[in-house]
Amino acid sequence: MAKRALLRSLSDVDIRLIRVFIAVTECGGFAASELELNIGRSTISKHISDLELRIGLKLCNRGPAGFSLTPEGEQVLEAAHGLLASLDGFQAHIDNIHIHLTGTLRLGLFDQSTTNPEARVHKAIQAFDASAPDVAFEIALDPPGVLEARVTDGTLDIAIVPIHRQSSILQYTPLYQEHMTLYCGEGHPLFDVPETARADALNLAQYKYAGYAFNSPNMKAGQSLGIRRAARVQEEEALSLLIQSGRYLGYLADHVAETFLRKGAVRPVAAQDTGYSSTFAAIVRRKPEPTRKTEEFLNCLVAAHQA
């Protein structure tokens, strides 16, 4: 017997749960959808359980036999596709009614984007405001995985992240580069070692390493050097603090480290061996297609970084 449905009217949370449900069915299960949604399997399972509770129906079978939709789940999936198509069509229609762009553009950025001389996001904002002065901005600072998840679920319109593991749900438009180098702080045993020293001669694995707590080029670079992560951070501000303590090695963007270098607070470690570059890209969802204001801002970003 079906459970009594709790759902009486749709909220933003319900629509987000429906988007997760569609993504899981398109990927063929919880495990396969982890990469696409950028959230863990346990969180995905909870989202599906919450949706089942909200609508009072069992949507899928999961277990040793694998993932499959129930007959009710098949019907809900068809209705969900229709609902999202209607919502997207309504939004597109409203956008096209307006001669001038209106509403809110929700932009996501990774930490320290403003100090990179190659990043011209401010120029894109300037150009966008000139062409769409009635659009308000909401800007969020989050780790790359969180930004990708928020663009995927529609709570952000566009974000700028370092390219790492690309999702087929998202469209990536490369914008600029960022160079990273391994640094240590004053008082660290490697502080007085010439930066031209080779990494394999320094036995880096014996030193504590501070790195990001999420999957990123930073994590991959640390693993390639064989150094153990003794501290995990979410933001570059915390990373620079640990490096300056003289107790940890860690990666900083060269443009961030420049101020500390001038003060003599940090030094590069085996720069020719430890340095790497990341490409930052603007990301939007492939489906539904971005709104007119999102497309316009993406065009402004591309133009600003090609200038």
Side-chain angles (χ1 to χ4, degrees):
M1 179 182 296
K3 298 178 181 178
R4 179 181 176 86
L6 300 177
L7 186 63
R8 290 292 179 268
S9 60
L10 282 174
S11 67
D12 288 344
V13 172
D14 296 318
I15 293 172
R16 183 175 186 273
L17 295 177
I18 289 170
R19 292 190 190 279
V20 170
F21 173 57
I22 290 175
V24 170
T25 60
E26 289 177 343
C27 292
F30 295 177
S33 62
E34 283 184 291
L35 180 59
E36 297 299 332
L37 292 170
N38 265 308
I39 53 178
R41 194 181 314 182
S42 61
T43 303
I44 295 171
S45 179
K46 185 178 186 307
H47 286 337
I48 298 300
S49 296
D50 288 346
L51 181 60
E52 289 176 328
L53 180 63
R54 290 285 290 163
I55 64 179
L57 294 169
K58 183 178 181 181
L59 299 177
C60 57
N61 301 305
R62 55 266 208 191
F67 173 87
S68 63
L69 288 176
T70 63
E72 294 82 5
E74 295 279 2
Q75 295 180 62
V76 171
L77 178 62
E78 182 179 355
H81 280 299
L83 169 65
L84 295 189
S86 297
L87 288 173
D88 296 336
F90 175 80
Q91 183 63 60
H93 189 67
I94 295 301
D95 285 345
N96 287 328
I97 290 174
H98 290 282
I99 297 175
H100 302 292
L101 295 175
T102 60
T104 301
L105 183 75
R106 299 162 300 174
L107 168 65
L109 298 173
F110 184 40
D111 203 22
Q112 302 292 355
S113 300
T114 58
T115 59
N116 188 341
E118 293 192 31
R120 302 185 182 93
V121 182
H122 61 294
K123 290 294 185 182
I125 293 174
Q126 182 184 66
F128 180 78
D129 188 66
S131 64
D134 295 327
V135 176
F137 265 102
E138 287 183 5
I139 299 180
L141 288 177
D142 279 309
V146 174
L147 294 175
E148 290 191 337
R150 292 192 62 188
V151 172
T152 298
D153 68 24
T155 57
L156 286 177
D157 299 305
I158 187 169
I160 300 173
V161 299
I163 296 177
H164 180 44
R165 298 184 307 177
Q166 296 189 42
S167 167
S168 60
I169 292 176
L170 302 173
Q171 171 189 316
Y172 294 74
T173 302
L175 297 176
Y176 59 86
Q177 298 281 316
E178 180 175 75
H179 189 265
M180 309 286 290
T181 303
L182 189 69
Y183 288 91
C184 67
E186 186 176 9
H188 192 277
L190 297 178
F191 189 76
D192 294 322
V193 174
E195 65 178 88
T196 54
R198 303 308 299 258
D200 57 6
L202 298 179
N203 191 16
L204 298 177
Q206 67 180 305
Y207 303 109
K208 289 183 178 181
Y209 170 69
Y212 288 127
F214 45 84
N215 278 320
S216 64
N218 172 279
M219 180 180 289
K220 182 179 179 181
Q223 291 172 343
S224 70
L225 294 174
I227 46 184
R228 62 186 180 94
R229 189 172 58 179
R232 294 170 173 83
V233 303
Q234 293 288 338
E235 300 169 346
E236 199 158 26
E237 183 73 20
L239 195 53
S240 65
L241 181 66
L242 288 170
I243 294 169
Q244 289 181 80
S245 74
R247 307 301 295 178
Y248 295 86
L249 299 175
Y251 275 98
L252 289 176
D254 289 349
H255 60 87
V256 173
E258 185 177 346
T259 299
F260 306 124
L261 280 169
R262 287 199 300 266
K263 295 178 180 178
V266 301
R267 291 282 300 275
V269 176
Q272 68 184 79
D273 294 331
T274 64
Y276 71 92
S277 292
S278 293
T279 298
F280 277 67
I283 56 171
V284 297
R285 284 188 297 176
R286 293 185 184 277
K287 293 181 180 180
E289 293 184 358
T291 61
R292 282 177 54 212
K293 60 178 176 284
T294 303
E295 287 282 9
E296 176 64 20
F297 185 66
L298 180 58
N299 291 337
C300 289
L301 280 171
V302 171
H305 290 89
Q306 288 179 345

